[in-house]
Amino acid sequence: MTPDITILDILAFLWFLACWAGFTLIQDHMLGGRMVVNQHLKKARRHWMERMLERDNRIMDSQLIGHTMQSCTFFASTNMLVLAGLVGAFGAVESAHKLVGTLSFTVQTTREFFELKMLLLVAIFTFGFFKFTWALRQYNYCCALIGSAPLPPVPAEEKTAMADSIAAAMTLAVKALNGGMRAYYFAMAALAWMLGPWFFMVSTAAVIVVLTRRQGFSATEKVIRVQVDALERRERR
């Protein structure tokens, strides 16, 4: 451990990990009954797959899946570029350390501590890369499920079961994609560690506030909720 790491730095790092892990656990695993964007879209995907099983022509469904796969590919490629830049920075870490240290709004640290902060960014973007590539693979699995779906007419019970299975597989892919995109947000919080541990903790909390608002209290959530509620009412008729 480098000599200039303070107790506050350690607490800030633990706060960062706890916030990221806690938010992911709550959003992806514990909000089954809470009406947020992710939960609305679970229902929307199930309705989508039911409509897909009623269609002879599924070109539109393929195009929608392909669009999301392109997004996964874009983010994975961007991640690689960021990682290449971060790893390349280690080749000139002495210059980078001096440059960051000369800024008036950053804290002065030893080179070893600076390298640890850089390694944290590398770890975050590496995690994001694995998430994006896993999401891409899962979307490929969804393509196989959609391609193998029987043509209409499909008995009601079979249609419901197949729609639930394909929608669940797609939701797992979306969770992986969301996990990768979440890494970008927390990478911005980790970058604030260059300004000091207090900025690190405040930035982490700000990321949580932004993500929570977008999930449960944004105009987008309201629009999606109205649409999904209409689909649910239509299904009950």
Side-chain angles (χ1 to χ4, degrees):
M1 183 177 294
T2 60
D4 58 331
I5 295 181
T6 64
I7 296 296
L8 187 57
D9 283 305
I10 296 173
L11 291 176
F13 178 67
L14 294 176
W15 166 253
F16 172 79
L17 293 180
C19 286
W20 190 353
F23 184 84
T24 300
L25 179 64
I26 293 171
Q27 282 291 323
D28 292 348
H29 303 287
M30 297 177 63
L31 283 182
R34 176 71 173 92
M35 291 295 97
V36 293
V37 171
N38 286 350
Q39 302 304 318
H40 297 324
L41 291 178
K42 283 184 181 179
K43 296 179 181 180
R45 282 188 285 271
R46 178 175 58 80
H47 286 287
W48 173 17
M49 291 302 104
E50 288 181 350
R51 301 294 81 76
M52 182 273 296
L53 290 168
E54 296 170 355
R55 286 192 280 266
D56 289 316
N57 188 333
R58 294 167 182 172
I59 293 177
M60 180 187 70
D61 306 292
S62 302
Q63 289 176 336
L64 292 173
I65 293 290
H67 172 74
T68 311
M69 293 174 69
Q70 289 176 359
S71 298
C72 292
T73 303
F74 168 77
F75 281 113
S77 301
T78 304
N79 242 16
M80 287 300 296
L81 293 175
V82 174
L83 279 172
L86 288 171
V87 173
F90 279 99
V93 68
E94 187 68 36
S95 300
H97 177 234
K98 289 181 180 179
L99 176 63
V100 173
T102 58
L103 299 176
S104 60
F105 49 83
T106 58
V107 294
Q108 301 294 321
T109 63
T110 61
R111 173 177 167 175
E112 290 79 8
F113 194 14
F114 176 77
E115 289 174 353
L116 286 177
K117 294 178 180 180
M118 293 286 290
L119 282 173
L120 176 60
L121 291 173
V122 170
I124 291 172
F125 282 104
T126 300
F127 173 83
F129 174 76
F130 278 102
K131 280 290 186 179
F132 287 128
T133 53
W134 177 226
L136 185 59
R137 289 186 65 185
Q138 289 185 92
Y139 272 113
N140 277 288
Y141 303 153
C142 292
C143 289
L145 294 177
I146 293 174
S148 65
L151 294 174
V154 181
E157 291 185 3
E158 289 185 20
K159 183 178 74 172
T160 300
M162 289 183 182
D164 288 343
S165 297
I166 300 174
M170 196 177 301
T171 294
L172 292 174
V174 171
K175 282 184 179 180
L177 176 60
N178 288 341
M181 296 181 69
R182 206 172 289 147
Y184 276 78
Y185 287 91
F186 283 98
M188 297 301 295
L191 188 61
W193 203 0
M194 300 292 181
L195 307 180
W198 283 113
F199 284 99
F200 188 18
M201 287 190 285
V202 170
S203 297
T204 301
V207 166
I208 295 295
V209 170
V210 169
L211 293 178
T212 301
R213 180 189 173 280
R214 291 180 177 180
Q215 274 291 314
F217 306 97
S218 63
T220 300
E221 184 274 332
K222 295 177 182 177
V223 171
I224 295 174
R225 171 162 38 88
V226 169
Q227 172 72 1
V228 171
D229 287 345
L231 292 172
E232 293 287 290
R233 289 194 298 269
R234 184 183 180 87
E235 186 180 60
R236 289 192 293 267
R237 290 174 187 171

